[in-house]
Amino acid sequence: MTEQFTPPPARGCASTPVLKERGQHEVFCGLTGIIWLHRKMQDAFFLVVGSRTCAHLLQSAAGVMIFAEPRFATAILEETDLAGMADAQQELDRVVSELLARRPDIKQLFLVGSCPSEVIKLDLAKAAERMSAQFAPNVRVLSYSGSGIETTFTQGEDACLAAMAPVLPHTEARELLLVGALPDVVEEQAVGLIEAMGIGPIRVLPASRVNDEYGIGPNTLYALTQPFLTDTHEALQRRGAQHIAAPFPFGEEGTTQWLRAIADQFDVSEAKFAEVTDAPRARARKAVAQASEAIKGKSVFFFPDSQLEIPLARFLTRECGMDAVEVGAPFIHKAVMSSDLNLLSEGPVIAEGQDVDRQLDRCRAARPDLTVCGLGLANPLEAEGLTTKWAIELVFTPVHFFEQAGDLAGLFSRPVRRRALLKLEAAE
Amino acid sequence: MKLTVWTYEGPPHVGAMRVATGMKGMHYVLHAPQGDTYADLLFTMIERRNHRPPVTYTTFQARDLGADTAYLFKDAATAAYERFKPEAMIVGASCTAELIQDDPGGLAETLGLPIPAIPLELPSYQRKENFGADETFFQIVRALAKPMEKTAHVTANLIGPTGLGFRHRDDIVEVTGLLMDMGIEVNVVAPMPATPSEIAKLGQAHFNVLMYPETAETAARYMERAFGQPHTRTVPIGVGATRDFVAEVAKLAGVEPVLDDSRLRMPWYSASVDSTYLTGKRVFLFGDGTHVAACARIARDEMGFEVVGMGCYNREQARMLRSLAKDYGVEALITDDYLEVERRIEELAPEMILGTQMERHIGKRLGIPCAVISAPVHVQDFPARYSPQMGIEGANVIFDTWVHPLVMGLEEHLLTMFREDFEFHDEAGASHHGHKAKLREMGIKDSLKTETDSAEPLQTNLGPVEIVWLPAAEKELKKIPFFVRGKAKRNTETFASERGVSEISVDTLYEAKAHYAR
Ligand code: SF4
């Protein structure tokens, strides 16, 4: 493929001062990740130790998507559990024993901490250790925090994967590890492309079953597929594994550069790389061009949500012709994000954290053509005449890699096209 | 510790949000972590509200806990007052903030705000959403409403409607109309859509119409004591209940009972011949106590169904529902455990479920038609069209809604006649539905559906006798249309076990059919 990408900006956003906000946040907590993690890990059960609020959050976020008995549940703390610590640990043992007796298909159990369990200092790590010993070798029990006082939305997945990194066996093999829970169709595409370049075996974290697991070690090379996996990144570094830094695989450019970084590590030739990627690159470019017609030259404003904001702003500005006004992210991990920040032209406000009312003021003043925000804000902003895209869909739908690049652009252009399409006034 | 998958009710602070979001000029400052803001989407997405709920969350984080979370609350309350300039505030804690014991009520008092800041004590680890709404409304009334001179004309308050309420928006219109026909004016409707200054005027009405005991019973009792306002006991859902309601209101108001039933079509629709097929349909009801009680009466007396079971998830109504269930000769199921409800439905194998969105899921799994009669509900139960449950139009709406999931009368016969026809075949379900209903997990093995795969005989353990279906009988059972097959199987097995018969033949099947014939 000879066509070149837009040249990188002379000054990217990597050194732009970040607007740090501390006020009311309008975001999910890390428990939400359970909704997609439990689909991905088919022998895992997620047991939240929390309150009725936590159970209600999971239900509201899952909506009507799941009607079978799902592989997650909440152990709701009651008045009696709050009275004494010893009781709560015993109660947890009882709940887990009953659960595992009823669900022999469960091979990994995650005890997920919540705000209430953390405030009362219920030690889930200790509980997991005790239970692992009790239920070994049939069930592995791990713990992580998905609480709203420790984690924001996608950080729940990060905390879960970071908890798995230390228990993977050791290996000296030089292997590629892809990190992030992607929809199966997307994961298969990625693996297919990389294998076609002659790289293998390819490992994936999380594996879909505990028995599919592999080892990691100093010769493991890993690529992150999601920008929010920063603790996992650090946990893998502690195991000696090496990070392949790259922009995230959104859009044609992101995917190409991400694959390129991997290919370089495994000495894949130019010719081979072109042979594997030329056709899907051309398809992606064409699909993005078509799908982004309606948003070319329009402005976009990101409320913080999933930490996908910076890579997506890079995609929208460089491949779809949009102008970013503000890019808000709940957290910005400079090391993981630098490749994307370097490609994002200087100009937009880069904001970390949130003060939702002040951010709404800025958004109303800027009147962007498209606002990317959470479900609590979308309809109210639409009612004020702004066009919105719900951010959560970006996490729930397949948007990575070449074949989804057009769909990704479509997610942003559909609301814009729809607003142009609707004629709800009288003809006169 | 209680293991929970799906819940019928959220935590109590969500009940408080329903009150605040229904009102105007009220603001809720909630001491809570960031994740609790998910509750906004219930209102903006499920109910499609076009504004944010008037709630400021303090969104404290772990690093704040060691230091001072109280100042966060004070800052948030001050900023909320300055930005939104509400007429009044409610302040409280979510489950996590309850544990750190910052006392939002006391903190708000120290701020010296020029508006009332009403403290809420909602025990998150004991109570639930309906309690939260009921208690919040009561505290607001107690703080803002004072005894007043009654209006010259006879007036009533409508109390109970909240944000996210099942058809509350339209019920208000319908009940207002019922009162107007009797020359009774509405004084205040609260909590939705009242302002705090309207709440202050509650005392001038002559009586209260308690629309939803779940959310306003405590306030109604308080107003009875404090303002001498009696309140209605009948909830006007259904034709009979609407007539009773009119009579009750007439007595309270000292006027003649008047009901304009010129738009009432439900009784005729129920009497018309196409409805004959509704006779004796076995229904199971589950939801909040008020809606279940009202709908049980409609089911039995106005639709001609057979009520085979009922229950509610809110313990506050357990006693009422238990005694009502006795009148229907069934045992009430009082639980908030969705799996227990599913088990009961499997046992009873009803032909229809009247329930909440949870029972809709259960119905989908079991292939049993379901109509929604109670919260919790999902986005499709907030329709664009006028769609009340109460009053005359409510009765019409209920008839349509309940009949919709069923196979229509004539169609039922066609299905029996042309069972082998590719379009009418057994599993196609009702022809006016896109999806096909599937009968599963009702003790009827999949082998019944595929003739090739019937090596294993159908076996059921019902009490002391193990019952086996002989192949011919099994085949015959399969010929029975899917929507009555569960009942036929159950009846036959009960019939057999009562007679100590352990093998079911074609004859047993038809003897049982004759025995149960109605
Ligand atoms: S923010 Fe905390 S209390 Fe709220 S749902 Fe999340 S973990 Fe539970």
Side-chain angles (χ1 to χ4, degrees):
Chain A
M1 190 130 197
T2 48
E3 287 155 276
Q4 284 301 306
F5 299 115
T6 317
R11 285 193 59 179
C13 286
S15 53
T16 305
V18 172
L19 171 66
K20 302 219 178 201
E21 292 266 53
R22 274 221 56 193
Q24 181 184 328
H25 290 194
E26 178 82 22
V27 285
F28 286 130
C29 60
L31 296 184
T32 324
I34 292 171
I35 308 293
W36 63 86
L37 285 170
H38 91 285
R39 308 298 300 170
K40 190 71 199 169
M41 292 187 242
Q42 293 169 9
D43 56 4
F45 194 100
F46 294 81
L47 181 65
V48 176
V49 183
S51 64
R52 179 163 298 281
T53 314
C54 309
H56 198 235
L57 160 96
L58 285 173
Q59 172 160 337
S60 307
V64 281
M65 294 195 303
I66 305 150
F67 13 89
E69 193 187 336
R71 284 189 310 281
F72 62 77
T74 308
I76 295 185
L77 293 162
E78 293 170 308
E79 204 70 2
T80 45
D81 303 304
L82 302 173
M85 279 312 87
D87 288 348
Q89 290 281 1
Q90 274 171 22
E91 276 291 281
L92 193 56
D93 282 336
R94 176 183 62 80
V95 167
V96 166
S97 302
E98 282 171 17
L99 175 73
L100 293 177
R102 202 160 54 84
R103 301 289 301 260
D105 50 322
I106 300 305
K107 298 283 173 261
Q108 340 180 36
L109 174 69
F110 290 95
L111 302 177
V112 188
S114 69
C115 306
S117 79
E118 282 163 18
V119 168
I120 64 169
K121 301 201 160 52
L122 182 57
D123 191 343
L124 295 185
K126 196 173 94 191
E129 231 169 79
R130 181 177 67 236
M131 291 175 193
S132 271
Q134 186 186 346
F135 297 107
N138 292 329
V139 187
R140 176 174 79 188
V141 186
L142 294 173
S143 73
Y144 71 88
S145 169
S147 80
I149 54 175
E150 292 284 2
T151 63
T152 299
F153 194 25
T154 48
Q155 285 184 307
E157 175 178 334
D158 186 29
C160 174
L161 301 194
M164 296 171 78
V167 299
L168 290 170
H170 178 84
T171 181
E172 290 292 327
R174 188 164 192 272
E175 289 178 343
L176 174 65
L177 174 67
L178 303 184
V179 188
L182 296 179
D184 292 340
V185 43
V186 172
E187 186 177 299
E188 280 157 24
Q189 277 173 28
V191 169
L193 286 166
I194 299 168
E195 274 175 353
M197 293 191 275
I199 302 169
I202 299 163
R203 311 300 191 178
V204 178
L205 181 68
S208 58
R209 287 169 199 286
V210 70
N211 291 335
D212 300 344
E213 276 178 4
Y214 40 79
I216 51 172
N219 296 315
T220 301
L221 290 152
Y222 68 92
L224 302 176
T225 60
Q226 297 280 28
F228 47 76
L229 298 171
T230 53
D231 282 357
T232 311
H233 163 76
E234 279 154 25
L236 289 168
Q237 303 243 302
R238 280 195 291 276
R239 295 285 307 264
Q242 300 157 47
H243 178 214
I244 304 177
F248 286 91
F250 300 107
E252 188 228 347
E253 182 184 32
T255 308
T256 306
Q257 297 222 21
W258 186 85
L259 287 170
R260 163 106 280 154
I262 293 171
D264 287 348
Q265 292 294 329
F266 288 87
D267 301 321
V268 175
S269 71
E270 270 304 324
K272 187 78 191 166
F273 187 79
E275 180 195 317
V276 173
T277 58
D278 272 3
R281 276 183 69 186
R283 275 201 298 275
R285 182 171 291 216
K286 192 164 154 237
V288 170
Q290 269 168 13
S292 60
E293 202 115 321
I295 45 176
K296 205 173 291 159
K298 305 238 184 235
S299 56
V300 60
F301 190 111
F302 280 91
F303 278 78
D305 195 69
S306 61
Q307 297 188 53
L308 263 63
E309 297 82 6
I310 289 170
L312 290 176
R314 183 261 300 154
F315 166 70
L316 290 175
T317 53
R318 290 177 60 80
E319 293 184 52
C320 303
M322 294 191 91
D323 298 315
V325 181
E326 172 160 339
V327 184
F331 295 97
I332 300 174
H333 190 285
K334 283 268 162 124
V336 164
M337 214 56 98
S338 63
S339 305
D340 281 284
L341 280 170
N342 282 330
L343 286 172
L344 187 61
S345 287
E346 213 183 7
V349 174
I350 306 288
E352 183 179 19
Q354 191 175 30
D355 183 325
V356 68
D357 286 310
R358 286 210 264 166
Q359 195 170 26
L360 282 165
D361 290 344
R362 293 199 297 277
C363 181
R364 288 176 182 125
R367 292 208 69 83
D369 297 311
L370 184 65
T371 303
V372 185
C373 61
L375 295 173
L377 298 176
N379 267 337
L381 287 174
E382 289 279 348
E384 292 179 27
L386 293 168
T387 305
T388 63
K389 167 80 222 101
W390 338 330
I392 194 165
E393 219 176 329
L394 300 162
V395 181
F396 282 124
T397 36
V399 294
H400 290 71
F401 302 111
F402 293 130
E403 312 302 349
Q404 283 66 237
D407 302 344
L408 179 58
L411 285 180
F412 295 99
S413 65
R414 194 169 307 121
V416 174
R417 283 196 295 118
R418 180 165 181 77
R419 185 165 281 265
L421 202 68
L422 294 182
K423 305 217 167 17
L424 297 167
E425 307 297 327
E428 284 307 294
Chain B
M1 221 174 261
K2 190 168 179 347
L3 194 69
T4 305
V5 183
W6 303 120
T7 69
Y8 287 91
E9 290 182 76
H13 71 259
V14 168
M17 278 185 75
R18 288 176 51 188
V19 170
T21 306
M23 291 181 68
K24 296 193 171 70
M26 176 61 86
H27 201 87
Y28 186 14
V29 182
L30 179 62
H31 207 14
Q34 60 181 5
D36 289 4
T37 61
Y38 79 87
D40 282 0
L41 80 87
L42 303 170
F43 299 91
T44 61
M45 297 303 289
I46 295 179
E47 200 183 7
R48 286 185 222 252
R49 285 198 176 248
N50 61 3
H51 62 83
R52 290 172 68 208
V55 183
T56 295
Y57 304 81
T58 57
T59 63
F60 56 84
Q61 299 179 345
R63 61 163 183 251
D64 303 318
L65 290 179
D68 188 9
T69 47
Y71 86 91
L72 271 178
F73 180 85
K74 290 205 261 184
D75 285 358
T78 312
Y81 171 70
E82 272 158 19
R83 180 174 280 271
F84 300 104
K85 292 281 184 321
E87 287 179 37
M89 259 186 196
I90 47 178
V91 299
S94 78
C95 55
T96 307
E98 188 181 330
L99 297 172
I100 55 179
Q101 298 182 326
D102 275 338
D103 182 21
L107 292 173
E109 221 181 279
T110 64
L111 294 176
L113 295 171
I115 53 163
I118 304 159
L120 300 175
E121 301 273 350
L122 305 174
S124 308
Y125 297 90
Q126 294 166 24
R127 306 304 295 267
K128 288 177 268 185
E129 180 177 332
N130 279 331
F131 168 82
D134 183 77
E135 172 70 12
T136 301
F137 181 46
F138 163 59
Q139 293 299 345
I140 291 173
V141 170
R142 206 175 62 151
L144 301 180
K146 296 285 169 272
M148 294 177 96
E149 200 178 317
K150 300 280 181 266
T151 51
H153 268 89
V154 56
T155 54
N157 299 314
L158 308 187
I159 58 171
T162 64
L164 210 63
F166 178 57
R167 308 294 164 87
H168 292 191
R169 176 195 74 189
D170 299 341
D171 285 348
I172 293 172
V173 178
E174 199 62 28
V175 174
T176 304
L178 289 176
L179 297 184
M180 226 154 61
D181 288 344
M182 285 188 270
I184 301 163
E185 258 177 67
V186 170
N187 179 52
V188 175
V189 185
M192 183 172 83
T195 59
S197 41
E198 285 167 343
I199 297 276
K201 288 192 255 169
L202 278 168
Q204 64 186 11
H206 292 233
F207 67 100
N208 285 315
V209 172
L210 175 56
M211 292 175 68
Y212 309 103
E214 269 74 11
T215 49
E217 185 147 22
T218 309
R221 290 221 193 96
Y222 170 78
M223 288 191 271
E224 184 147 32
R225 287 195 308 273
F227 313 148
Q229 291 167 327
H231 64 85
T232 54
R233 314 281 154 155
T234 317
V235 176
I237 299 180
V239 179
T242 299
R243 294 194 188 283
D244 291 350
F245 173 81
V246 166
E248 189 185 8
V249 164
K251 217 186 240 167
L252 287 179
V255 299
E256 278 303 303
V258 178
L259 177 66
D260 172 8
D261 56 8
S262 55
R263 289 173 299 113
L264 179 63
R265 292 176 206 100
M266 191 277 179
W268 166 243
Y269 272 55
S270 189
S272 72
V273 292
D274 192 70
S275 297
T276 313
Y277 78 101
L278 300 174
T279 313
K281 284 254 183 233
R282 307 171 69 254
V283 298
F284 177 82
L285 299 102
F286 199 83
D288 69 38
T290 298
H291 283 85
V292 167
C295 290
R297 177 173 175 188
I298 302 173
R300 185 182 66 185
D301 300 343
E302 300 175 17
M303 299 293 275
F305 291 156
E306 180 191 346
V307 173
V308 295
M310 64 172 84
C312 72
Y313 55 78
N314 50 337
R315 272 175 205 285
E316 293 88 351
Q317 304 272 8
R319 198 190 308 176
M320 179 277 291
L321 205 75
R322 280 208 182 93
S323 84
L324 183 82
K326 241 183 235 146
D327 296 343
Y328 283 74
V330 296
E331 196 196 328
L333 175 65
I334 313 295
T335 181
D336 62 353
D337 182 345
Y338 148 93
L339 294 172
E340 226 176 293
V341 179
E342 185 171 65
R343 272 198 296 279
R344 179 65 64 91
I345 292 175
E346 277 186 73
E347 272 164 38
L348 294 171
E351 291 161 274
M352 184 181 195
I353 307 168
L354 300 170
T356 72
Q357 62 165 326
M358 310 290 187
E359 283 67 44
R360 181 158 43 209
H361 292 174
I362 295 173
K364 255 194 192 157
R365 256 160 73 81
L366 302 180
I368 304 172
C370 177
V372 168
I373 59 162
S374 160
V377 296
H378 219 270
V379 61
Q380 64 268 47
D381 297 302
F382 289 95
R385 66 179 181 276
Y386 181 60
S387 196
Q389 296 288 289
M390 292 185 176
I392 297 294
E393 191 55 22
N396 294 334
V397 165
I398 284 174
F399 181 87
D400 288 350
T401 314
W402 293 12
V403 166
H404 179 83
L406 297 170
V407 178
M408 311 296 278
L410 257 183
E411 190 175 23
E412 188 167 313
H413 295 294
L414 291 172
L415 266 168
T416 320
M417 281 162 70
F418 302 114
R419 198 173 304 121
E420 311 300 332
D421 185 289
F422 73 98
E423 266 187 45
F424 276 107
H425 74 91
D426 240 14
E427 286 166 14
S431 65
H432 56 295
H433 297 153
H435 62 271
K436 74 170 193 184
K438 262 192 154 177
L439 190 69
R440 287 204 282 134
E441 295 187 31
M442 283 176 46
I444 298 195
K445 297 210 172 154
D446 276 352
S447 65
L448 261 179
K449 294 195 188 150
T450 46
E451 272 170 282
T452 44
D453 176 27
S454 54
E456 211 185 309
L458 191 58
Q459 230 175 54
T460 307
N461 201 341
L462 206 82
V465 217
E466 182 121 318
I467 293 175
V468 182
W469 284 74
L470 296 173
E474 197 177 322
K475 218 173 146 194
E476 199 66 21
L477 179 62
K478 197 199 159 232
K479 290 187 195 156
I480 295 171
F482 72 92
F483 46 85
V484 284
R485 197 183 296 148
K487 179 165 83 170
K489 176 173 182 286
R490 228 176 91 86
N491 283 350
T492 310
E493 284 167 359
T494 312
F495 179 84
S497 82
E498 278 167 11
R499 281 156 191 76
V501 175
S502 62
E503 287 186 345
I504 294 177
S505 65
V506 177
D507 282 340
T508 327
L509 177 65
Y510 283 109
E511 274 162 33
K513 183 169 187 281
H515 177 79
Y516 288 104
R518 278 171 297 190

